[in-house]
Amino acid sequence: MGLNTAPHDLLQLNSRWREVEADHDLPEWVLRSLEQTPWVVVRRAPALEGQIAVGVRGKERHLRQALTIPDHLVVQQVTPEQLLQSSLSPDHRSIAKERWHTMPALQALEQLAVSWESYDLHWGPAGSTGFELATGMPTLTMTSDLDIVLRCTSFLAPVLAEQLLEQTLDLPVRVDVQIETPYGAVALSEWARPATDRVLMRTLQGPLLVTDPWNPRLV
């Protein structure tokens, strides 16, 4: 049985990760990145059974490589929700205390956790913040945004989305929250304050304009 993965999950690969070279013409930077940090992020793309669509991060923002890997290469799977829980426990933090004091994105994560504590939400960090928390590699910079994944299997009322959005506006860095529905993802900022009666949703089949991200057939 294959792994049950979702976009933004982070996957640690075993020592056989070089098998992917046979199926992909990979730039040299990809091999160097995986040699140093054999972690990839699940991306939103179709994949055959037993395969996972993933992306490889490079040291620079523009260095991103799409791959499809067999799931037997995965030795560890970490979700944004798990990263949030571990990051809130000082005993289980995977990165140095100094990083928490100096990186604005990490400070924003702590503040957001306090602001959202009273809500029954399933969420966690993604992007550079999630990658650093999972791997311990210093990927954040002083100007890094905070990327957040908010899993919502059922309808999120726009009025609640507005409340959640408001609590991200005064944080030390820009916060980009993606609402993950069973059908795709929409930006919290768009769902809370739609410019029209439809919002852009990212799906496996590509972008769609929908009126209800939890019932995308209603376009």
Side-chain angles (χ1 to χ4, degrees):
M1 182 178 295
L3 288 175
N4 183 20
T5 61
H8 308 289
D9 288 354
L10 287 163
L11 308 176
Q12 184 181 19
L13 307 184
N14 62 33
S15 58
R16 296 169 58 189
W17 64 263
R18 283 189 174 274
E19 291 180 12
V20 300
E21 289 185 75
D23 300 320
H24 301 82
D25 183 18
L26 299 177
E28 185 62 31
W29 72 261
V30 174
L31 302 180
R32 291 196 304 268
S33 293
L34 290 175
E35 190 74 49
Q36 182 180 28
T37 312
W39 286 78
V40 294
V41 60
V42 178
R43 59 189 175 89
R44 198 184 317 279
L48 298 175
E49 184 176 356
Q51 300 282 316
I52 308 171
V54 301
V56 181
R57 295 177 59 95
K59 289 186 176 181
E60 299 177 34
R61 188 180 181 88
H62 71 280
L63 294 178
R64 299 291 185 268
Q65 176 69 43
L67 294 176
T68 301
I69 64 169
D71 58 14
H72 69 256
L73 295 183
V74 179
V75 294
Q76 184 181 7
Q77 176 183 358
V78 182
T79 67
E81 296 92 325
Q82 290 171 332
L83 287 175
L84 176 67
Q85 293 305 313
S86 62
S87 70
L88 297 180
S89 173
D91 294 336
H92 294 90
R93 287 180 173 174
S94 60
I95 58 178
K97 183 185 299 184
E98 291 75 15
R99 297 287 288 177
W100 286 91
H101 293 323
T102 58
M103 289 294 108
L106 293 174
Q107 296 168 17
L109 178 62
E110 289 189 308
Q111 294 175 36
L112 187 62
V114 173
S115 298
W116 283 7
E117 186 176 11
S118 61
Y119 299 95
D120 183 19
L121 302 173
H122 300 278
W123 66 281
S128 297
T129 305
F131 196 81
E132 179 161 337
L133 289 172
T135 67
M137 290 295 295
T139 53
L140 287 167
T141 68
M142 296 296 293
T143 59
S144 293
D145 294 342
L146 174 60
D147 295 311
I148 295 294
V149 174
L150 175 58
R151 312 271 195 200
C152 295
T153 56
S154 57
F155 184 80
L156 178 71
V159 64
L160 176 55
E162 174 78 17
Q163 293 174 19
L164 298 176
L165 179 64
E166 287 289 340
Q167 295 176 28
T168 69
L169 301 181
D170 293 328
L171 296 177
V173 298
R174 179 180 178 274
V175 180
D176 179 14
V177 181
Q178 291 292 316
I179 305 172
E180 289 284 342
T181 82
Y183 302 98
V186 296
L188 177 67
S189 58
E190 289 192 30
W191 183 239
R193 301 171 179 174
T196 66
D197 62 347
R198 296 190 293 178
V199 293
L200 182 68
M201 184 171 71
R202 301 175 184 173
T203 75
L204 285 175
Q205 291 73 40
L208 292 176
L209 285 173
V210 302
T211 57
D212 183 353
W214 290 267
N215 193 350
R217 290 168 292 185
L218 299 177
V219 297

